[in-house]
Amino acid sequence: MVEITHCIFDMDGLLLDTERVYTEVTQEILDKYAGGVKFTWDVKSKLMGRTGIESATMVVEHYKLPMTVQEYIDKSAVMHEERFPLVKPLAGVERLVRHLHAKGIPMAVATSSTRSRFELKTTLNKELFSLFDHIVCGDDAGIKHGKPAPDIFLAAQERLGNPPAEKCLVFEDATNGVAAALNAKMHVVWIPDVNLLNITGDPDSHGATVVLESMMDFDPKPFSLPAFETNN
């Protein structure tokens, strides 16, 4: 049995339904500037977990958009700012976060989003995110490389008091995030979108400790974490 003492959560597409917004906005830009070419999950999977600049560069270059990377960032930012404040937690998120908080399990969010984007995305969920002990963002000092580099998870580990990596459990939805957690020598729960799972093949090949369809399916007991109450 794995003995976990600390939990670290990605945010986009894992805690909050923000990946849907990224997909919608990117597709609308492609409709206008690239003749409506499809924003496929094959491309999207390579962007997930990366920094905003890295993702924007990849989109502009892959689709040969008639704009600079900064112009793409500016156009998408306007659309994001209208939609991000409305996003909601995904299924099972509140149940697990509130449970771990009530049981005194130290938790951190480790998101590639900038601090300002984090604040925007969590507009409707300030109370939920107040339950985390630490919030680590992609533009925090000391984080030089985005996922799949382990920087952001190592920063979260440090803020949590440097528990042993093998006692840290990361929750991720992106293959880049799974790789980042493994590079940090941590255990990983992978909760991918079904579209992502369809293109990545055998989930075992990504090294995740367990693969789930939803956070609703997470069982704390195999990780030596407190079990849910029977009425949960």
Side-chain angles (χ1 to χ4, degrees):
M1 180 181 288
V2 177
E3 185 179 347
I4 295 299
T5 59
H6 295 69
C7 294
I8 303 172
F9 294 79
D10 173 51
M11 182 177 71
D12 290 300
L14 187 280
L15 295 176
L16 295 177
D17 187 22
T18 50
E19 288 297 345
R20 174 183 53 80
V21 173
Y22 280 116
T23 299
E24 291 174 354
V25 167
T26 303
Q27 187 61 60
E28 288 177 26
I29 291 176
L30 294 180
D31 288 345
K32 186 172 183 179
Y33 296 99
V37 63
K38 181 72 172 175
F39 180 44
T40 65
W41 269 91
D42 183 53
V43 176
K44 182 176 174 66
S45 67
K46 297 178 174 66
L47 310 181
M48 295 171 68
R50 296 187 182 273
T51 65
I53 292 176
E54 288 173 339
S55 296
T57 301
M58 293 171 73
V59 170
V60 170
E61 292 180 352
H62 181 84
Y63 291 106
K64 298 179 173 57
L65 293 177
M67 64 185 71
T68 66
V69 171
Q70 189 57 53
E71 287 171 338
Y72 176 85
I73 290 173
D74 292 343
K75 290 179 185 298
S76 59
V78 173
M79 301 163 76
H80 289 153
E81 287 171 8
E82 294 174 349
R83 305 178 197 196
F84 279 147
L86 305 177
V87 297
K88 298 178 180 179
L90 288 160
V93 168
E94 291 204 47
R95 173 181 181 243
L96 179 58
V97 171
R98 294 187 188 282
H99 170 70
L100 294 177
H101 176 74
K103 298 300 182 181
I105 303 299
M107 297 182 293
V109 171
T111 174
S112 299
S113 294
T114 62
R115 183 70 54 175
S116 61
R117 281 299 179 89
F118 167 81
E119 296 296 343
L120 187 68
K121 292 172 182 176
T122 58
T123 298
L124 292 180
N125 301 283
K126 298 297 185 186
E127 187 270 335
L128 177 64
F129 281 86
S130 73
L131 302 180
F132 290 92
D133 298 280
H134 300 281
I135 306 292
V136 182
C137 293
D139 59 346
D140 285 1
I143 299 175
K144 297 180 179 179
H145 305 288
K147 303 169 186 177
D151 298 32
I152 199 158
F153 292 131
L154 295 177
Q157 179 185 17
E158 181 179 7
R159 299 206 195 162
L160 286 168
N162 277 319
E166 64 271 17
K167 292 186 180 295
C168 295
L169 182 62
V170 172
F171 292 80
E172 263 286 355
D173 70 308
T175 51
N176 284 326
V178 171
L182 294 175
N183 287 334
K185 312 301 183 187
M186 299 174 181
H187 296 280
V188 196
V189 173
W190 186 28
I191 310 178
D193 186 288
V194 65
N195 293 287
L196 181 59
L197 199 58
N198 288 340
I199 66 167
T200 54
D202 182 1
D204 291 339
S205 66
H206 294 279
T209 309
V210 65
V211 182
L212 304 175
E213 292 184 3
S214 165
M215 200 172 286
M216 286 294 296
D217 300 325
F218 179 70
D219 182 1
K221 290 182 289 185
F223 298 93
S224 301
L225 291 167
F228 287 117
E229 306 295 336
T230 55
N231 61 353
N232 282 0

